[in-house]
Amino acid sequence: VLGALGIDQTEDLYPVPDSFPKVPVVLNRDFSASLIDKILAAKRPLIIHGPGGIGKTVVMQSLEKIFSENNETILFDGFGGGLWRAPSDHRHLAKRSLLHIINSLAAKNLCDLLLPSTDDETILRTAIRRLSQAVTTLRETNPQKNIVLLLDAIDHAGMRSNSENTASFAKELLKELDINPIDGIVIVASCRTERKKEAYDQIDYPDFQIPIFSDNEIRQLVRARSIQLNSSEEAILISKSGGNPRCIDMMLKNNALLNTPSVEGNEELLNALLEERFKQAIQHAKEKGSFTPEGESFIASLRLLPPPVPMDELAKIFEVPFQSIQSFVSDLYPLIEATQHGLIFRDEPTETLAKKYAEKNFRETDQFIQGLKEQQSTSVYCARALPNLLIEFDRADDLIELAFSDVFPD
């Protein structure tokens, strides 16, 4: 049947699977009940936002679990383990993500399948009809049930669409359901507070800013993870973490941070903790007599290259043995994960820090781009990576030169 429809494999119907990192302990936050009430009362798309590391994704996962008890829910992963930047991913486009979302509902026998199309406007119109169909089907058995769409990290869709001058599916879907709401469709999206414009053009949707962990929630988390802290260490954790869940997690995983008077780093605390984690990996590599790159240049290279980044290509760029890259990266897990296809960021704050490194070190970025140019005749990966990198850094002259170049990989 799929062959007759021109579909090669079932993955074509579900092109953007989620890649959420596992969270060992999920607390029922103090605000959960009031947030649920606000979502149901809003009657419009609702935006959940907060700074990096505040736990937006975990909150969205918690909402999926809560709403799934009495409704049908779809949780969309806008970060995709860093794959949102991959040239072949395109999860910012309606023809990829709306296709995936609607067909996830079709798999629950709630609506007809949505077939792949190259026209985003057609996909959006058809998706809206499928959502109406799904609600009608669902409410035949229980008139009180809703379909809850949870769109996590939609700021990445906005950033990718801005860089490519395309339309973000999330922006368009939010606008459509705000102007023409469908009774029984509840939609919630999340983004960083500082990226509201990229995420949804700062339209006045109702919103909810995730609060930091209270002192009591921090104590609950420590107990839930069966970690023994004395009263002094607990006080330092509460004071130093600022209630940021990501910071709390990193400090609990590294007790030495609890006993350090100050964490080095001139950025916000989370960036300082990530920098500290990276320094530890470099120190470990030095002790083994292995590959010891300049911290910022290596992590910036992972942000400059499209994911997943093959380790053999990194080995060529840094002119070191493959095994050295492999060993060094293993010390950075789970911030950076080695998959069978290459390296990806498993942690959104780590990717954001890497982007800051790349933007800050313009000279090194120039050298990196030059290195990719020199490998155009030998590396298919570098040949694919260079155009998007030139677009991202507004290198119009280099793009024109590349367009007329006759250098291709052998």
Side-chain angles (χ1 to χ4, degrees):
V1 174
L2 292 179
L5 295 172
I7 299 171
D8 295 329
Q9 50 194 355
T10 55
E11 287 79 7
D12 293 340
L13 297 174
Y14 307 95
V16 286
D18 65 67
S19 186
F20 293 114
K22 293 181 180 179
V23 180
V25 175
V26 178
L27 287 184
N28 184 20
R29 297 290 306 274
D30 293 344
F31 59 77
S32 295
S34 61
L35 175 57
I36 295 291
D37 290 342
K38 183 167 185 173
I39 291 171
L40 294 176
K43 306 299 182 184
R44 297 181 64 197
L46 185 134
I47 307 297
I48 291 174
H49 62 94
I54 201 64
K56 297 179 291 296
T57 295
V58 175
V59 168
M60 296 291 273
Q61 289 172 312
S62 297
L63 289 175
E64 179 192 31
K65 183 178 180 181
I66 294 169
F67 275 118
S68 292
E69 293 176 2
N70 299 301
N71 305 276
E72 290 293 343
T73 62
I74 300 293
L75 175 59
F76 169 79
D77 181 5
F79 183 65
L83 291 177
W84 69 278
R85 292 190 302 111
S88 61
D89 187 77
H90 296 299
R91 67 182 60 219
H92 62 299
L93 297 177
K95 65 183 180 183
R96 302 279 286 178
S97 289
L98 279 183
L99 180 73
H100 189 103
I101 290 169
I102 296 302
N103 287 338
S104 296
L105 291 171
K108 299 173 184 280
N109 296 317
L110 293 174
C111 64
D112 296 329
L113 279 172
L114 185 59
L115 299 180
S117 169
T118 58
D119 183 355
D120 272 8
E121 290 187 8
T122 299
I123 284 281
L124 179 60
R125 287 195 301 270
T126 308
I128 294 300
R129 290 197 295 270
R130 294 289 193 275
L131 288 175
S132 296
Q133 180 189 11
V135 170
T136 301
T137 304
L138 180 66
R139 289 189 165 180
E140 287 176 354
T141 56
N142 188 335
Q144 303 304 314
K145 283 191 173 184
N146 296 311
I147 291 175
V148 182
L149 305 179
L150 303 168
L151 311 181
D152 188 43
I154 65 168
D155 39 342
H156 295 93
M159 290 189 292
R160 180 77 185 265
S161 64
N162 288 346
S163 69
E164 297 183 358
N165 196 28
T166 53
S168 160
F169 92 93
K171 287 183 184 179
E172 298 306 311
L173 183 60
L174 290 172
K175 288 178 185 176
E176 181 66 32
L177 291 178
D178 189 36
I179 297 170
N180 300 303
I182 300 172
D183 184 34
I185 296 293
V186 176
I187 184 165
V188 181
S190 72
C191 68
R192 281 201 179 202
T193 302
E194 66 271 23
R195 295 179 187 157
K196 288 181 178 181
K197 189 175 190 306
E198 291 90 340
Y200 58 94
D201 292 333
Q202 293 183 311
I203 294 172
D204 64 340
Y205 299 127
D207 68 342
F208 179 87
Q209 181 162 2
I210 299 176
I212 60 174
F213 267 41
S214 66
D215 293 359
N216 184 53
E217 287 178 319
I218 294 175
R219 294 188 184 98
Q220 287 180 41
L221 180 61
V222 172
R223 288 196 297 271
R225 292 177 60 165
S226 301
I227 296 173
Q228 299 297 319
L229 297 181
N230 59 41
S231 57
S232 176
E233 289 173 330
E234 187 178 271
I236 292 172
L237 176 65
I238 291 172
S239 172
K240 211 183 248 194
S241 67
N244 183 296
R246 191 70 181 87
C247 294
I248 295 167
D249 177 68
M250 294 188 72
M251 294 178 79
L252 289 176
K253 287 178 179 176
N254 184 359
N255 264 13
L257 294 174
L258 294 174
N259 301 310
T260 303
S262 63
V263 181
E264 292 183 8
N266 55 9
E267 301 272 347
E268 63 187 59
L269 175 62
L270 179 55
N271 281 353
L273 290 171
L274 292 170
E275 289 171 345
E276 182 67 19
R277 179 71 182 82
F278 199 71
K279 289 174 185 175
Q280 290 172 355
I282 293 175
Q283 182 59 36
H284 188 212
K286 286 180 178 177
E287 292 170 357
K288 293 188 298 184
S290 185
F291 171 54
T292 54
E294 290 296 327
E296 292 189 6
S297 64
F298 181 81
I299 198 168
S301 71
L302 297 181
R303 177 57 180 80
L304 293 169
L305 292 169
V309 182
M311 284 191 278
D312 57 342
E313 297 289 351
L314 281 176
K316 293 175 186 176
I317 291 170
F318 286 96
E319 299 180 337
V320 296
F322 172 83
Q323 291 77 9
S324 296
I325 295 286
Q326 195 174 40
S327 175
F328 180 71
V329 168
S330 67
D331 288 332
L332 290 171
Y333 180 84
L335 303 181
I336 296 168
E337 181 179 354
T339 70
Q340 65 179 23
H341 301 296
L343 304 179
I344 61 173
F345 288 105
R346 294 296 296 165
D347 181 277
E348 193 269 347
T350 307
E351 186 192 56
T352 300
L353 177 62
K355 186 173 186 292
K356 290 181 180 178
Y357 285 164
E359 291 171 345
K360 183 172 69 174
N361 301 315
F362 285 111
R363 181 172 297 179
E364 291 186 5
T365 300
D366 286 344
Q367 294 172 350
F368 195 83
I369 289 174
Q370 185 58 38
L372 290 180
K373 286 181 178 180
E374 292 171 358
Q375 296 191 54
Q376 292 299 290
S377 63
T378 59
S379 170
V380 173
Y381 175 80
C382 290
R384 292 183 61 198
L386 185 57
N388 287 319
L389 188 58
L390 295 177
I391 291 171
E392 182 171 354
F393 284 88
D394 296 322
R395 305 287 288 267
D397 292 342
D398 288 321
L399 277 167
I400 293 172
E401 178 185 342
L402 183 65
F404 290 96
S405 172
D406 56 1
V407 178
F408 298 97
D410 297 332

